[in-house]
Amino acid sequence: MLFFIVVLMKRVNIGTRKTAFVLQIKRERLNFEAKENAMNLTKESIISLLADEEHEQDLLQKADTVRRQYVGDEVHLRGLIEFSNICRNNCLYCGIRKGNKQACRYRMEPEELVETARRAAGMGFKTIVMQSGEDMYYTSERMCRIIEEIKKFDVAVTLSIGERSYEEYKAFREAGADRYLMRIETTDKDLYHKLDPEMSWQKRYECLLMIKELGYELGSGIMIGLPEQTLESIADDLLFLQDLGVDMAGIGPFIPHPDTPLAQEKGGALHLALRTMAIMRLLLPDINIPATTAMESLHPQGRIMALQGGANVIMPNVTDGEYRRLYELYPGKAGANDNPAHGCSIVGQKIISIGRKIGTGYGGHTKTLLDK
Ligand code: 5AD
């Protein structure tokens, strides 16, 4: 059945595609060899691949081959610190939305956050990801001081703290932040605004452009299986991420949270999420693609399946104790009751068990930032 995919991919190469997005930014940091080799899949062929449950294994194998060819066998680990679940936003799908009165809120103080990062660096992590809800207690000044402290541990610093102003993104970058993660969630603007009527898709998109322009490595991504989301819109999402030239793309299944307005919706689209991720690898062959926690939350081997279908990054949670249970974006989050050391050793064993290696460098997409 590999034949089917090869034929499809040959066919789609000749198609030309007009993109809906005009990017004002230059792509000087893009790896041009990878860009030339990226499969020029048309929207129609992406939709066919997304719909094709029968040939899923062929698609994942193809993505695995491309992954090996472009980024090798190393799996890069990122130490994820979930430092505050306080959020000013009210996204319908999210367990830490401000309207969820059941959520027990917490926020680490800056010293505790820096200490958690110090421990993670001591465990060997070369990247620290700081993630939180949009918690404005973390002013630009506070955030910059934290970044400066954590940079002393010889790690790449990734921020995932949502929408901020250009000045703030600039200040974080100057303080030493290397990378920024912010998912676009969906490129279907109507759906996006239904999922959070108070937010603006355009504003989020502009934030992504600012982050890129400031020289961060940019990670974005989407959720799969949202109510009313179509295969056509997922194909648009993939082409959007390709056009934006993201350095990392996180793709995870939507999992309904019982204390949100979407509690009764159907979730759990693990296989569709895996196929989406595999196609992402074909469209952007040399980027970083995480095996997401949401995939592992739906299946005990979810991350292994992802690593064997195009992924090359895992983000183990290094948050301590009670906090990791309280950062409940969705229920049943893998590792919620674990501790950092044990969680990391399980992840390490899984990587070795499938014949892969644990990355030893900073593991960025571009070699320019740190891996000189
Ligand atoms: N199911 C799956 N993923 C979710 N996220 C938030 N809520 C959910 C949910 N219910 C994802 C979003 C967000 C990331 C941090 O977590 O994509 O960007």
Side-chain angles (χ1 to χ4, degrees), residues 116-358:
T116 307
R118 185 199 308 279
R119 275 203 300 275
M123 289 168 72
F125 286 101
K126 300 301 283 175
T127 298
I128 303 297
V129 182
M130 288 186 264
Q131 188 176 91
S132 68
E134 290 196 6
D135 180 356
M136 293 305 119
Y137 171 77
Y138 280 92
T139 57
S140 185
E141 292 70 33
R142 278 204 179 104
M143 227 36 239
C144 285
R145 262 185 282 125
I146 292 163
I147 295 164
E148 282 160 12
E149 286 305 310
I150 296 180
K151 282 304 286 182
K152 292 180 188 161
F153 308 146
D154 183 25
V155 288
V157 165
T158 305
L159 299 179
S160 180
I161 59 173
E163 296 178 19
R164 297 276 181 142
S165 68
Y166 183 83
E167 288 67 35
E168 286 174 293
Y169 289 138
K170 186 160 181 283
F172 302 155
R173 179 92 184 102
E174 283 166 4
D178 303 285
R179 309 181 189 140
Y180 206 101
L181 301 182
M182 188 163 64
R183 291 186 178 173
I184 192 73
E185 315 294 1
T186 172
T187 54
D188 177 336
K189 296 187 184 110
D190 291 341
L191 178 57
Y192 185 92
H193 294 125
K194 270 191 205 164
L195 291 173
D196 193 334
E198 290 159 44
M199 287 181 78
S200 150
W201 188 91
Q202 185 62 26
K203 180 156 177 273
R204 199 166 186 84
Y205 173 55
E206 282 163 14
C207 284
L208 294 176
L209 294 181
M210 289 189 251
I211 292 165
K212 202 167 164 67
E213 192 214 291
L214 284 164
Y216 287 92
E217 281 203 5
L218 173 63
S220 192
I222 49 172
M223 273 182 290
I224 299 298
L226 291 165
E228 296 178 34
Q229 189 182 37
T230 61
L231 295 187
E232 190 188 350
S233 108
I234 297 173
D236 283 333
D237 297 345
L238 284 165
L239 294 170
F240 168 85
L241 294 169
Q242 186 187 37
D243 282 341
L244 186 56
V246 291
D247 299 290
M248 167 154 159
I251 291 160
F254 158 64
I255 304 172
H257 189 294
D259 301 324
T260 63
L262 301 188
Q264 302 310 321
E265 297 292 338
K266 192 167 155 283
L270 173 64
H271 286 275
L272 181 56
L274 286 166
R275 293 198 291 280
T276 308
M277 182 199 71
I279 299 167
M280 187 82 267
R281 173 60 73 200
L282 305 183
L283 291 171
L284 288 170
D286 76 338
I287 63 165
N288 282 319
I289 298 185
T292 53
T293 309
M295 289 177 174
E296 187 87 350
S297 306
L298 289 178
H299 190 290
Q301 300 300 316
R303 281 197 291 224
I304 295 274
M305 289 150 94
L307 285 178
Q308 295 181 320
N312 70 322
V313 168
I314 293 190
M315 299 166 63
N317 194 336
V318 295
T319 321
D320 271 315
E322 192 61 10
Y323 295 149
R324 63 161 77 204
R325 265 187 296 281
L326 299 180
Y327 198 82
E328 198 189 55
L329 306 177
Y330 48 82
K333 212 173 104 193
N337 297 311
D338 217 338
N339 66 60
H342 183 254
C344 292
S345 91
I346 300 272
V347 164
Q349 282 163 26
K350 284 195 173 184
I351 292 168
I352 307 293
S353 77
I354 55 165
R356 302 276 280 278
K357 294 176 234 154
I358 297 174

Side-chain angles (χ1 to χ4, degrees), residues 5-19 37-47 49-50 59 62 235 238-239 242-243 275-276 278-284:
I5 294 190
V6 171
V7 169
L8 182 58
M9 286 171 182
K10 286 220 169 96
R11 185 158 55 85
V12 295
N13 264 337
I14 40 170
T16 53
R17 175 170 57 77
K18 283 210 184 88
T19 62
N37 288 306
M39 283 177 195
N40 207 8
L41 298 172
T42 59
K43 184 169 165 182
E44 292 65 39
S45 60
I46 293 174
I47 294 171
L49 290 169
L50 288 170
L59 173 64
K62 175 76 191 162
L238 284 165
L239 294 170
Q242 186 187 37
D243 282 341
R275 293 198 291 280
T276 308
I279 299 167
M280 187 82 267
R281 173 60 73 200
L282 305 183
L283 291 171
L284 288 170

